[in-house]
Structures are given as C-alpha cells and as structure tokens.
C-alpha cells in the first residue's frame, strides 16, 4: 500500500499508530512498525530518501503532537523535493525500481522475516541463535539487497532474455553477484537457459 | 456488472461545518465524481429530517451506495447504516467521511483550504464507496455453560456467582482438595476472619450446588473453539472428560517463592510466612525473639515487582504473635512498608502500638542471619545492630505457577514480562483476555489479597454473564476471510501472528489451509497484511478499496 502510494506519485507517506503497548489490536502497531521499517530499508537500497516514510506513535489525546508531526513531516518532504529527485533515474527507471521493491515486500521471504522478527530477537531462530539489534540490522540489509536485486532481474527478464553481462550493466550490479542470483533462481526453476548467443548464454523466465 | 449509483450527503452540522467551509461547493463538486448520481446538503444529516431525506433520496434515485460527509463514525455510523438498511440498501454499502473533526474544526482560519480539503476527503470516500461489498452480521450461539479453572477463593467465588445466576458451571481443580492457598492460612487481614471458615463456607456452597460440576485432581488437556463454543478436554486421572462451554474463567492463583539459598533458609527456625501460617493454624509456637525479613527475593533484579500482600501478612502475623506472647520481641526488617488502604494503615499503626519494632534496611546492605541472631545496619542510628532471636520468618513474593506457560499456550492467551497472565487492557478491560470469552481473576493475574480476588472474580462473572445471558454473540462482519482457498498454502504465518487466535490451520481435502474463525476475529488486518499469497481478504478494507482511496488522493 505504501509503495502503491509512491507509485501513484505521492512524495511522502506519514503513518501514525498508537504508542507501544497501547494498540487496540494488541500487537498491531508492532507489526506495522516492523513492516514499515522493512519498507523504508528497501527504499534506501534503491536510493530513495528513507525520510519519505515516517511512522509516528502518539495517543488520541495528543492533538498538539499530531499537528507537530504532520507539520514537520510536510516540511521535511518539501525540503527533499518531489519523489525521485534524490536518484539519477528517469520516471520509467524510478517506476521500475519501485515495482521491484513492491514485488520484494509481497514475496514470501521478507514476509516471513518481518513476521518472525520479534521472535528472532526474543527467543532466537531454530538454531537457538539470538540476534542483537545490530546483527539483525546487518542481516536484514544483506537479505533485502539480494531480494530487491533478484526482483529487479525478474522484472528485466520479463521483457526479453538477457546475458549476465547485459543484466549487470542494466542494473549496475557486479556480474559475480548476478551470476549468484541466476544460479539461485535456476535452482528454483524460475529462470532457465534460453539460448546461447555467440559465447554468452542468455537467460529468460521459465513459464 | 451491477449499476453503482452513489448518493452523497454533505452535512452542515448547523454551523459546525457550514460555518467554516463552503458546503454547496462541496455538494456541486461531489456531483462531478464518478458514479455519483445525486448529492445534497443536509442541515443536520443525523436528525429525523436528515435521515428521512436520505431514505427518500435512496428510493427516489435508486441509490445503491450512500456516502455521508459529516462528523465522526464513532457516534453516527450506526445511525446512518440503519437508515440505509431501512431504505433497502445493505448497511455496509455505506461510507462515512469526516469533514468536521478532521476538517472544519481544525481549519477554522482558512475557509478556502478547508473547502478544498473537504472535496478531497469526499473524493476519497466516493472512490471507496464504489467498490464496497454487501455484508451480513455474523451471529453465533453461545453455549450457556461456563468453565472455571482453579478452585481457590477466586475460582470458587466465580463458580458460585455463576451458579446463582442459573448457569451451569464446570470447576476444574488441579489438587485433591478445593481451597487453594487459603487452606494454608491462619487468619486473614484486615478483619481477622479465619481462613478455614471463609474457604470452608465457599467449598460447602460449591459442592452442594446442583449446577456446579467439580473435578478435583484434574487439569486441562486440550482447548479448541472460540467465544460461545469452546471444546475442552479435561484429564481427571481416571477417564478424560469432555466439556462444551461458552466461556472460560482462569483463576489458577500463584505460587509463593521458596527462598532456597537466601538468608540460610532451612524450614526449621528460618521459615517462610506460609510455614509460619501453618504453625499458627496449629497454634504451637514458642519463641523469645522473632525477626521477619521483607522483600526476600522480591524487588530484585530478577523479580523487580512488589508482591503487594507480604507486608500486610507480616503486619498481621507480627501483631498476632505479639498478642499471644506479649513478652516476645518481634522485629520486622523492611525496605518500604506496603500497607495500602485505610485498614492497612490502621493495622500497621496498631502493630507499632503493640510494640512490634520496624527497622528499615538498605537492599545494598541487607540483614545477615546468624545462628541465634540477625545483624542489620540501622539506617537512622547509623550503626549495625544485632537482634537476638530464635525464629526468622522470610516474606517471599507470589510468583507465577510453573504451569502458567503451558496453560497460556493451551488457551492461547498472553503473559506479562513476569510470567503472570496478562489482561486485554489495564484500564478498559482489566478482567478480560484479549481473546473473547476468556476471563481472568485473582492472583493468577497479579499478586492480590483475598478481598481483591473475590471482587475480581465477581467482576469476571459479570463480564462473562453478558455473553451467557444473551445466548448469542453478534459480531461486525468487518473481519478477515480466506478469499481464495487455492491461493492459501497453509504456511501458518497468519495463524502465528494473529493476536486473537482467530486462525487455525486445518486439514482440508485440498491440504492444509487457514481456517478463519470469524467470531473471534477483530479485523485488525495483521493476517491480511502478512499473507504473501494474497489469500486473505479484509472485509470492508480490501486491497482494492484502499488502493482506490490512495489513487484518489492524487487523482483529482
Ligand atoms: C503467606 C500468605 C499470607 C496471606 N495472607 C492473607 C491475608 O491475611 N489476607 C488476604 O486477604 N490475603 C492473604 N493472602 C493472599 C491470598 O492467599 C490470595 O489472595 C488468595 O489465595 C488468592 O486466591 P486465588 O483463588 O486467586 O489463588 P489460589 O488460592 O492460589 O488458588 C488457585 C487454585 O487453582 C488451582 N490451580 C492452579 N493451577 C491449576 C491448573 N492448571 N488447573 C486447575 N487448577 C489449578 C490451585 O491448585 C489452587 O487451588 C496471603 C498469601 C500468602 C502467600
Ligand atoms: S492464508 Fe496465507 S499466510 Fe495464512 S496459511 Fe494461508 S498462505 Fe499462509
Ligand atoms: S484480522 Fe487480525 S484478528 Fe482477524 S484473523 Fe486476521 S490477524 Fe486475526
């Protein structure tokens, strides 16, 4: 939904929730916080200013604080300027990147990670490892970067089959990373070898 | 495709709205929006006249969706929904736009901006209205039987109160005997009532009531279902018993910390308050000097809460001992005295008058228990004093019972950071769990004395009686639905995240699927926002509806 808003051309999204522990739906604000945190990390990875999303927490009795949050947010967004000013992409490029991010947040992997985030930090993963906030952040960023790149590749390949080199140039990702992603996608049967063009193999999406 | 005919009603709210923005302009603007076939200004939409105007217009213009731009849905949404229903339009084909609290009242200085914002808000509301679905209220029958878990003072009080109201009750007690902690106690503060008399009376009434079915030496083995229709298996030692009930009350009480390794505790001449109570029950105590130490194992790093009842227990027992043996020296070493309430203060004062000596100690420099004496640093005198004594009594806190975790998993209800059961809301719903139809009372929730446990039990019964007396629960259909069973992979993420236990993963002919328990669902949306297969739909807040609203924010 947040990404829909950006895709509609909205420059900033302010989301407000209750304070910790005061959610009418028990854990709703925590879940929202985790989801929004993930979304803003994704934006950062594609070069969009993270401040375009803000999750504020306040109670319904804090009218003044609401005004303050809304005014500050508007001011901040005006300073950053219209969506896309911060990256060197044209309208199409921006849309492409946002679509990739949207695919990533809608995907299985990140939804599980967000859903299990609290649990990972509290009782640890299935190997009993407990993550500190710092470790979690590093882990998340790595994971998200891979996920966005993979989604971007999938979007690109939708148009036509490409070679590793072409993908690497289009997405500005080193070719060894592209190769790693291709290998992963081939294992899952999402991507396959389409044909060989001269010496370089071309990869395409499998039906 | 059905013909979507939207009618928009913009309310003046006297001058509350019309005084600060241009209502006729908003009405004219509304007429230009897609699907809008009729728009009208009302002086007061919610008045008899306003409602009649809305109903008449629905009929006259064959409206199929209604949008009212006025005040907050909190107060008037039900009114307008009813109006729609009476005019033959499904009540969920109604959408409310708030242009008073969220517009005219906060933008009083700027008429033009306010008018423009009202237009925006109406446009967004209309965008959603066009996509609304009809819904039916969900009604489920409530089984009028109740289950009470725990047969202490709280559980017994609850069971008796329910039976007096004519409801059947099943009472499950883990131990061989009913009564709980009160079985161990001598006399109860503040009035000196004999614990055995109080609890004996309750046990007698409960066991002789034809409406109360009691299972002792029994525990809960399995719980399924939702408000109105819980299915519970009880392990009784002999044969398992199955109970169908409408509500559940949890009254499992608390344990008391055993101070292993603290202050040379040995259970002989260095004992706990519980052990002292048992000795007092039997009446055989002889001592020349007695020292009580407060907050043993409480208000520490590991257990940072105050158990609330131990100070009054010490005051009570110190006074009793002094009364029996006026020549015996009785000391209470404390950090802070927690003697809340008028009666508590009075008893504390009386104890001092009787000659009980209260000495404040510093937790960083705690008392030291020796063979025949206790050493303590007296803060006011600024020096260490040595108290000769032949009995040391340690006041230890109530702690969660060992099986609290297991029970919380069975019932799918939460616990707090100390491990006690956690209520739905401290102030608004102190005796309910977040899950509908399960209630909480007594020291299972938090250290509580007998009077508090009794009043909580009565409160929980009155909450539970709402469902039991009505015999049915009607819930708003604004809940999650599994829209596309084929999309669901039964991965269980939604079930794991639902804070109300409203989703079960069930076996179907098509494999494992999410089973939505609509009556238990509160419509929070967590599951819908989580399912990556988009199998779950949130009624009345569908992805399509919300996306359309977002698009309408920019799409003038
Ligand atoms: C030393 C001491 C002195 C006290 N003195 C006073 C006093 O003077 N005045 C006063 O007002 N209060 C006093 N209290 C507090 C009083 O004991 C409590 O307020 C009271 O016992 C709380 O009642 P309850 O029913 O909540 O819990 P409990 O009395 O603990 O009863 C809970 C019952 O549930 C049963 N149970 C537990 N788990 C399960 C399960 N899983 N399934 C089935 N059954 C289960 C237990 O066996 C028990 O019978 C004192 C407490 C202590 C420790
Ligand atoms: S509804 Fe979605 S999240 Fe829930 S079990 Fe099915 S696939 Fe998983
Ligand atoms: S909407 Fe909320 S309460 Fe309802 S099933 Fe989904 S997660 Fe549970």
């Amino acid at each position: 939904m947040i990404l829909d808003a950006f895709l509609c051309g909205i420059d900033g999204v302010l989301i407000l929730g209750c304070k910790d522990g005061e959610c009418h739906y028990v854990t709703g604000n925590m879940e929202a916080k985790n989801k929004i945190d993930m979304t803003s990390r994704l934006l950062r990875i594609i070069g969009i200013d993270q401040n375009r999303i803000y999750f504020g927490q306040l109670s319904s009795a804090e009218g003044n604080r609401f005004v303050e949050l809304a005014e500050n947010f508007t001011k901040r967004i005006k300073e950053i300027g219209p969506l896309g000013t911060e990256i060197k992409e044209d309208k199409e490029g921006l849309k492409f990147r946002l679509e990739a991010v949207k695919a990533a947040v809608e995907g299985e992997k990140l939804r599980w990670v967000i859903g299990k985030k609290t649990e990972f930090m509290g009782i640890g993963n299935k190997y009993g490892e407990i993550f500190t906030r710092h470790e979690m952040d590093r882990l998340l960023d790595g994971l998200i970067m891979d996920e966005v790149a993979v989604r971007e590749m999938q979007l690109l390949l939708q148009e036509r089959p490409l070679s590793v080199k072409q993908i690497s140039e289009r997405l500005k990702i080193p070719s060894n990373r592209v190769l790693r992603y291709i290998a992963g996608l081939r294992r899952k049967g999402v991507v396959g070898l389409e044909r060989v063009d001269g010496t370089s193999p071309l990869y395409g999406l499998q039906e | 495709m059905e013909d979507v005919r939207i009618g928009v009603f913009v309310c003046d709210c006297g001058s509350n709205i019309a005084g600060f923005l241009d209502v006729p302009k908003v009405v004219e603007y509304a007429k230009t929006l897609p699907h809008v076939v009729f728009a009208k200004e009302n002086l007061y939409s919610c008045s008899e006249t306003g409602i009649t105007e809305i109903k008449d217009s629905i009929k006259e213009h064959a409206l199929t969706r209604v949008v009212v731009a006025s005040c907050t849905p909190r107060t008037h949404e039900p009114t307008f929904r009813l109006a729609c229903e009476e005019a033959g339009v499904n009540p969920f084909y109604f959408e409310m736009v708030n242009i008073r609290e969220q517009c005219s009242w906060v933008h009083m200085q700027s008429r033009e901006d306010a008018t423009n914002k009202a237009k925006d808000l109406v446009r967004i509301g209309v965008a959603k209205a066009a996509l609304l679905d009809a819904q039916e209220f969900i009604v489920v029958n409530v089984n009028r039987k109740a289950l009470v878990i725990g047969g202490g003072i709280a559980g017994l009080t609850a069971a008796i109160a329910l039976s007096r109201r004519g409801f059947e009750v099943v009472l499950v007690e883990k131990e061989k005997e009913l009564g709980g902690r009160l079985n161990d106690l001598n006399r109860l503060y503040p009035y000196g009532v004999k614990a055995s008399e109080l609890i004996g009376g309750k046990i007698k009434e409960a066991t002789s009531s034809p409406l109360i079915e009691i299972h002792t030496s029994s525990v809960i083995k399995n719980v399924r279902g939702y408000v109105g229709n819980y299915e519970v298996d009880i392990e009784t030692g002999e044969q398992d018993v199955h109970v169908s009930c409408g509500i559940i009350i949890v009254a499992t009480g608390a344990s008391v910390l055993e101070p292993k390794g603290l202050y040379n505790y040995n259970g002989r001449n260095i004992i706990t308050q519980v052990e002292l109570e048992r000795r007092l029950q039997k009446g055989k105590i002889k001592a020349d000097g007695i020292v009580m130490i407060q907050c043993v194992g409480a208000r520490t790093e590991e257990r940072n809460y105050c158990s609330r009842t131990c100070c009054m227990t010490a005051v009570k027992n110190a006074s009793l001992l002094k009364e029996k043996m006026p020549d015996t020296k009785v000391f209470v070493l404390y950090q802070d005295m927690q003697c809340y309430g008028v009666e508590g203060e009075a008893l504390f004062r009386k104890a001092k008058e009787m000659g009980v000596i209260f000495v404040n100690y510093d937790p960083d420099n705690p008392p030291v228990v020796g063979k025949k004496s206790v050493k303590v640093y007296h803060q006011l005198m600024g020096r260490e004093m040595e108290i000769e004594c032949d009995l040391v009594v340690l006041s230890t806190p109530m702690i969660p019972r060992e099986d609290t975790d297991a029970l919380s998993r069975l019932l799918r209800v939460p616990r707090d950071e100390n491990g006690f059961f956690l209520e739905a809301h401290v102030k608004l719903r102190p005796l309910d769990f977040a899950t509908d139809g399960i209630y909480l009372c007594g020291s299972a929730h938090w250290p509580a004395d007998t009077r508090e446990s009794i009043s909580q039990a009565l409160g929980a019964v009155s909450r539970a009686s709402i469902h039991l007396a009505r015999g049915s629960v009607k819930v708003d259909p604004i809940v999650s639905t599994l829209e596309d069973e084929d999309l669901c992979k039964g991965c269980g993420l939604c079930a794991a995240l639902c804070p109300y236990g409203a989703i079960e993963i069930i076996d179907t002919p098509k494999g494992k699927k999410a089973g939505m328990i609509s009556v238990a669902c509160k419509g929070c949306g967590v599951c819908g926002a989580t399912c990556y297969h988009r199998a779950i739909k949130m009624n009345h807040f569908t992805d399509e509806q919300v996306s359309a609203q977002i698009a309408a924010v920019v799409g003038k």
Side-chain angles (χ1 to χ4, degrees), chain A residues 112, chain B residues 481-482 484-485 487-496 503-505 512-516 527 530-536:
Chain A
W112 269 101
Chain B
T481 44
L482 190 64
D484 192 332
E485 208 190 44
L487 286 181
C488 172
K489 299 284 176 284
C491 70
L493 185 57
C494 55
I503 307 178
E504 282 178 325
I505 297 298
K512 287 203 185 307
K513 299 285 170 194
M516 319 308 257
C527 58
T530 293
C531 177
Y532 44 91
H533 294 293
R534 294 194 171 240
I536 297 176

Side-chain angles (χ1 to χ4, degrees), chain B residues 480 494 497-500 502-503 516 520-528 538:
Chain B
S480 63
C494 55
L497 290 181
C498 172
Y500 300 96
I503 307 178
M516 319 308 257
C521 170
K522 300 278 179 199
C524 73
V526 163
C527 58
M538 301 308 306

Side-chain angles (χ1 to χ4, degrees), chain B residues 23 36 64 71 129 282 290 379 387 399 414 431 475 481 489:
Chain B
V23 172
V36 174
T64 58
C71 50
K282 295 191 189 109
I290 300 173
Q379 308 222 71
I387 309 165
I399 55 170
L431 303 169
V475 268
T481 44
K489 299 284 176 284

Side-chain angles (χ1 to χ4, degrees), chain A residues 1 4-5 8 10 24-28 31 35 106-108 111-112 115-116, chain B residues 491 493 497 499-500 522 524 526 529-532 534 543 546-547 550-551 554:
Chain A
M1 287 294 161
D4 276 344
C8 282
I10 285 168
H24 179 69
Y25 293 115
V26 193
T27 55
E31 301 292 347
K35 290 193 164 82
E106 283 177 353
E108 172 171 357
R111 293 259 165 132
W112 269 101
K116 290 278 166 184
Chain B
C491 70
L493 185 57
L497 290 181
Y500 300 96
K522 300 278 179 199
C524 73
V526 163
T530 293
C531 177
Y532 44 91
R534 294 194 171 240
D543 286 359
V546 179
S547 297
I550 293 175
V554 274

Side-chain angles (χ1 to χ4, degrees), chain B residues 256-277 279 290-298 307 309-311 313-314 317 321 331-334 361 366-370 373-374 389 391-398:
Chain B
V256 175
L257 181 77
E258 194 191 328
K260 271 193 204 132
L262 292 172
Y263 299 105
N264 298 330
Y265 169 72
N266 59 19
R268 289 190 310 275
N269 64 337
I270 304 172
I271 61 174
T272 61
Q273 289 285 358
V274 178
E275 286 158 336
L276 174 66
E277 295 267 355
R279 290 188 193 182
I290 300 173
V291 174
M292 297 186 180
I293 304 178
Q294 299 303 104
C295 299
V296 174
S307 176
T309 56
C310 358
C311 278
T313 301
N317 287 339
L321 290 164
F331 285 81
V332 178
L333 313 186
Y334 70 97
Y361 75 86
V368 179
V369 178
S373 71
V374 175
C389 62
L391 183 65
V392 176
V393 185
L394 307 177
S395 295
T396 56
M398 291 192 199

Side-chain angles (χ1 to χ4, degrees), chain B residues 310-526:
Chain B
C310 358
C311 278
M312 281 312 298
T313 301
V315 167
K316 166 189 76 176
N317 287 339
S319 308
L320 275 174
L321 290 164
K322 199 76 191 162
E323 206 174 80
K324 272 189 166 185
M325 310 178 286
D327 295 333
T328 302
K329 287 207 158 67
V330 183
F331 285 81
V332 178
L333 313 186
Y334 70 97
Q335 291 178 29
D336 300 279
M337 286 306 287
Q338 172 74 286
C339 303
Y340 56 94
V342 178
E343 290 109 335
E345 284 286 346
L347 287 176
F348 184 28
R349 206 174 317 116
K350 200 176 135 227
K352 286 196 239 176
E353 284 163 11
M354 289 170 75
V356 177
I357 298 168
F358 291 85
V359 177
N360 184 229
Y361 75 86
D362 176 359
D364 291 331
N365 189 9
V368 179
V369 178
K371 274 229 162 70
K372 282 261 160 207
S373 71
V374 175
K375 282 187 194 151
V376 60
Y377 184 81
H378 195 296
Q379 308 222 71
L380 290 178
M381 292 200 293
R383 67 173 169 83
E384 191 173 79
M385 60 191 276
E386 185 162 2
I387 309 165
E388 278 183 29
C389 62
D390 31 27
L391 183 65
V392 176
V393 185
L394 307 177
S395 295
T396 56
M398 291 192 199
I399 55 170
R401 284 188 190 274
E402 256 173 26
D403 58 359
T404 316
D405 185 43
L407 191 60
S408 88
R409 280 168 203 271
L410 276 178
L411 294 167
R412 282 178 294 177
V413 296
R415 301 191 302 147
D416 67 14
E417 70 268 26
N418 296 308
F420 289 98
F421 285 112
L422 179 66
E423 75 284 340
H425 191 288
V426 236
K427 291 178 193 157
L428 302 178
R429 294 173 63 197
L431 303 169
D432 303 5
F433 278 111
T435 309
D436 266 348
I438 309 188
Y439 308 88
L440 171 66
C441 57
S443 53
H445 170 226
W446 193 240
D449 68 20
T450 307
R451 285 192 300 170
E452 289 161 346
S453 301
I454 291 175
S455 43
Q456 288 173 18
L458 295 175
V461 165
S462 99
R463 295 287 297 163
S465 301
I466 298 174
H467 290 320
L468 294 174
R470 284 202 183 126
S472 66
V473 197
K474 183 173 165 186
V475 268
D476 249 18
I478 304 184
V479 294
S480 63
T481 44
L482 190 64
E483 187 181 34
D484 192 332
E485 208 190 44
D486 293 331
L487 286 181
C488 172
K489 299 284 176 284
C491 70
L493 185 57
C494 55
L497 290 181
C498 172
Y500 300 96
I503 307 178
E504 282 178 325
I505 297 298
I506 46 175
D507 285 316
T508 72
K510 292 187 193 165
K512 287 203 185 307
K513 299 285 170 194
M516 319 308 257
I517 308 166
S518 302
V519 271
C521 170
K522 300 278 179 199
C524 73
V526 163

